[in-house]
Amino acid sequence: MRRFFGAFIPIRVALTGADVAILLLLIAILVLGMTLAVRAPAAISGPAIQLAPEVLPYYAVRSLLRMAAAYALSLLFSLTVGYMAATYRWAGAVILPVLDVLQSVPILSFLPVVALSLTAILPEDVAVELASIVLIFTSQVWNMTFSFYQSMITIPADLREVAQIFRLNPWLRFRHLELAHAAIPLIWNSMMSWAGGWFFLMAAETFTVGARDFRLIGLGTYLQVAAEQGDLQALIWGLGTLIGVIVGMDQLLWRPLLAWADKFRLEMVESDEAPSSWLYDLWQRAALSEWFTERIWNPLLERVDAALGRLSAQLVARPALNPIPARVFLLPLVVIAGIGFIYGAYMAFRLLSALPPSSAPVLGLATLASMARVLVAQLIAMAWTVPLGVAVGMNRPLAARVQPLIQVVASIPATALFPVILLFLLRVPMGIELAAVALMLMGTQWYVLFNIIAGASALPRDLVFTTEILGIRGLERWRVLIMPAIFPYLITGLITASGGAWNATIVAEYVEFAGQTHMTLGLGALIAQATGHGDYPMLLAATLTMILTVVTFNRLVWRRLYALAAERFRMD
């Protein structure tokens, strides 16, 4: 047993100096936000929300613009950070611990502090808009970043050698090799990011902190108000509008992108059934497409390639005359960071010292309870997403029929349907426990499914034909072909699903429904309760406990599994 599990679970968990520095910096930022939050206006009231159907197009456009802004930031962040982490060893040593910590931050507990601190220094409407975009950004970015990083570290060695033989500069290597290799999983994770953004839309557009009511005009607020007032007709109108937006994006954006990205598959034979899109086919046949490609797109790319190629060549050829010591740049940063660490640690100690001694066992039991629910939700998700994801990814006709349905179901905010689910589950024994696991599952299972579909879609057809020729069937085919091929994608999905499940505990373990509060023991319930009452010491303690728990689990399992995926399960 020790030999089998030794590659996956280390004997000890070591938090490095980088981890401690990141945690202290995060504490300093959180405490600074709490300090500014005290200066926020005592009472904040959002705009009135109308439930008339005719306002839905305007509300949908407002929400769509917030989602688009957050996605643009997420894509830029993912490409930049993922590239640096995979290309430079020193950057990976810094970035990966940072991603571990940031992914574990329960943004629903961090959001009130962000919103309150922004309202203290910015106009109220601008501050709330920025806070909403930040929350949507954090619900979109992590799976995209991990997906791009995973694609970067699993590029076949022969393709990298070809890039070296052709002497591609860093920009051309990124555009023709690295970005192309990551295209299919990045598109599927972009769809998942939008689904995750829709899931958190209600929380991003409306939340309260004491007497402060942060509310924005948007589709999420419309659904939230309709659910609170029990207006079933308005709720149906809102969900119908949301489904219409999702289906429209599938037909006008995601399906054409998948059809375009099929050319980046790693295979020696042509696929029998390539992804199709009526819009992409129409664009390919149109004369406007040829004119745009020849007159605008190709000349623009040539200029960009030439400019960035010259820049990279100049950076490589520039002589290092009298280089400035690195300590000249690092010393001021170290001093500023040290001051921030000391300040953060001092203020955190002051806040945490206000907690009674009885809080420690409560935090411990709450951590164990939430961890059990997260693990149960992930096991249930794996049980059905792996077979379905492989079936959809390896069967093009099935994917064409199922993909829009998956996007719609994954994008429906579970928080809008949760009151209905809770109404039935509260009547059975341990109903609140089942409801909490159900909501966590609804918000996290899609991360695993979309990554499995991406992995199965990227599986070379020549390997599939080889197993068919050799007569490999059933479980043996899963062992020698399917599981090794989707393993890196499965790990990426589980990592992001784990972070999403911990975030979902905040809305799953503490629920206000029909004028009553239903809660169960857990870190999410402690964070939600502390947020509602403005109990900053408990909010800080529960948030830090969740961060340390997730980071420790990442070091126990996910980091080693990532290394295993990069070493043993790459397409070489």
Side-chain angles (χ1 to χ4, degrees):
M1 295 293 288
R2 180 182 179 87
R3 180 186 302 177
F4 181 78
F5 289 105
F8 298 93
I9 301 178
I11 302 301
R12 61 186 178 87
V13 182
L15 290 178
T16 64
D19 298 320
V20 176
I22 294 166
L23 288 174
L24 287 176
L25 180 60
L26 187 62
I27 292 172
I29 295 173
L30 185 59
V31 171
L32 178 60
M34 291 180 178
T35 304
L36 291 174
V38 176
R39 304 176 184 176
I44 297 175
S45 59
I49 302 300
Q50 304 177 26
L51 296 183
E54 55 267 20
V55 304
L56 279 171
Y58 176 65
Y59 284 16
V61 170
R62 290 285 296 266
S63 295
L64 197 59
L65 290 176
R66 292 187 194 104
M67 294 277 290
Y71 175 76
L73 293 175
S74 300
L75 183 60
L76 179 62
F77 180 92
S78 300
L79 295 179
T80 304
V81 173
Y83 178 86
M84 293 184 62
T87 305
Y88 304 104
R89 180 174 298 179
W90 63 268
V94 175
I95 290 173
L96 291 180
V98 170
L99 292 180
D100 281 345
V101 174
L102 293 182
Q103 188 211 195
S104 64
V105 174
I107 189 59
L108 292 178
S109 69
F110 206 82
L111 179 65
V113 177
V114 174
L116 288 172
S117 59
L118 289 177
T119 55
I121 57 178
L122 294 174
E124 180 182 321
D125 53 347
V126 176
V128 179
E129 284 284 357
L130 289 178
S132 176
I133 293 175
V134 166
L135 175 60
I136 299 173
F137 165 82
T138 55
S139 68
Q140 292 180 338
V141 69
W142 309 124
N143 60 300
M144 293 174 59
T145 304
F146 281 110
S147 172
F148 186 68
Y149 172 75
Q150 171 251 314
S151 298
M152 287 282 296
I153 64 177
T154 56
I155 293 177
D158 52 347
L159 294 183
R160 291 196 175 276
E161 292 174 358
V162 170
Q164 292 178 355
I165 292 173
F166 283 97
R167 298 181 180 274
L168 297 182
N169 58 53
W171 164 249
L172 292 179
R173 185 174 66 246
F174 173 79
R175 189 166 76 85
H176 291 289
L177 173 60
E178 294 158 348
L179 191 58
H181 184 260
I184 294 177
L186 193 58
I187 292 173
W188 278 101
N189 273 279
S190 295
M191 289 188 279
M192 181 61 247
S193 292
W194 274 80
W198 291 121
F199 177 85
F200 282 104
L201 188 66
M202 291 172 62
E205 292 184 346
T206 174
F207 57 94
T208 58
V209 181
R212 304 175 181 95
D213 181 12
F214 295 94
R215 184 175 297 180
L216 290 168
I217 292 177
L219 192 55
T221 309
Y222 183 96
L223 291 170
Q224 180 72 31
V225 174
E228 289 176 353
Q229 297 182 5
D231 192 334
L232 183 60
Q233 183 178 4
L235 190 61
I236 293 175
W237 275 108
L239 290 176
T241 303
L242 176 60
I243 292 174
V245 172
I246 295 167
V247 173
M249 289 191 63
D250 173 72
Q251 294 295 316
L252 301 178
L253 180 62
W254 303 126
R255 194 177 289 267
L257 281 177
L258 285 174
W260 167 79
D262 188 66
K263 60 185 178 182
F264 299 123
R265 290 168 57 94
L266 287 176
E267 54 188 8
M268 301 297 293
V269 296
E270 186 177 359
S271 301
D272 294 334
E273 299 172 344
S276 61
S277 166
W278 64 268
L279 182 61
Y280 183 71
D281 294 339
L282 182 65
W283 173 256
Q284 291 288 91
R285 294 193 301 265
L288 178 63
S289 169
E290 184 177 357
W291 176 86
F292 178 80
T293 303
E294 293 181 357
R295 297 295 183 88
I296 298 179
W297 185 248
N298 287 338
L300 179 62
L301 279 182
E302 290 177 0
R303 293 183 180 181
V304 172
D305 291 343
L308 293 179
R310 288 193 300 268
L311 178 61
S312 61
Q314 292 174 0
L315 292 177
V316 173
R318 179 177 297 175
L321 298 176
N322 299 323
I324 301 176
R327 60 177 179 272
V328 174
F329 297 102
L330 293 179
L331 185 59
L333 296 178
V334 171
V335 172
I336 295 173
I339 296 174
F341 295 160
I342 295 173
Y343 173 77
Y346 170 71
M347 295 300 296
F349 176 78
R350 287 188 56 186
L351 283 172
L352 295 177
S353 62
L355 289 173
S358 58
S359 301
V362 173
L363 285 169
L365 292 175
T367 302
L368 294 176
S370 294
M371 182 182 295
R373 296 186 191 100
V374 169
L375 293 177
V376 169
Q378 285 191 300
L379 290 175
I380 296 175
M382 286 182 59
W384 75 271
T385 56
V386 172
L388 179 62
V390 170
V392 172
M394 298 183 66
N395 190 326
R396 297 294 178 81
L398 179 63
R401 294 191 299 269
V402 174
Q403 174 192 330
L405 179 62
I406 293 176
Q407 288 188 54
V408 170
V409 176
S411 302
I412 295 177
T415 47
L417 302 177
F418 191 55
V420 180
I421 298 174
L422 191 65
L423 183 63
F424 290 99
L425 291 180
L426 286 179
R427 300 175 182 177
V428 301
M430 298 182 65
I432 186 63
E433 293 289 342
L434 296 176
V437 174
L439 181 59
M440 293 164 63
L441 184 64
M442 292 169 65
T444 59
Q445 58 192 352
W446 311 112
Y447 292 102
V448 185
L449 178 61
F450 277 73
N451 276 278
I452 294 298
I453 293 176
S457 300
L459 183 62
R461 300 299 296 176
D462 49 337
L463 295 183
V464 177
F465 295 152
T466 300
T467 57
E468 293 177 354
I469 293 173
L470 296 177
I472 301 176
R473 298 286 188 274
L475 294 178
E476 185 68 11
R477 189 187 191 201
W478 277 83
R479 187 182 68 85
V480 302
L481 174 65
I482 296 176
M483 286 306 298
I486 68 172
F487 185 78
Y489 301 89
L490 176 61
I491 299 306
T492 299
L494 288 174
I495 290 176
T496 52
S498 175
W502 280 102
N503 266 289
T505 58
I506 300 173
V507 294
E509 296 175 349
Y510 186 91
V511 183
E512 294 182 355
F513 177 68
Q516 296 182 354
T517 299
H518 304 276
M519 62 177 295
T520 183
L521 180 64
L523 277 180
L526 291 179
I527 291 174
Q529 194 173 23
T531 301
H533 294 86
D535 187 356
Y536 291 120
M538 178 56 72
L539 177 62
L540 178 62
T543 301
L544 292 180
T545 302
M546 184 177 289
I547 292 173
L548 289 173
T549 302
V550 177
V551 170
T552 301
F553 194 82
N554 286 348
R555 299 305 163 82
L556 274 171
V557 180
W558 301 130
R559 181 68 64 84
R560 296 223 166 186
L561 290 178
Y562 242 140
L564 182 65
E567 294 173 4
R568 295 186 56 186
F569 300 110
R570 27 190 315 161
M571 291 290 180
D572 283 337

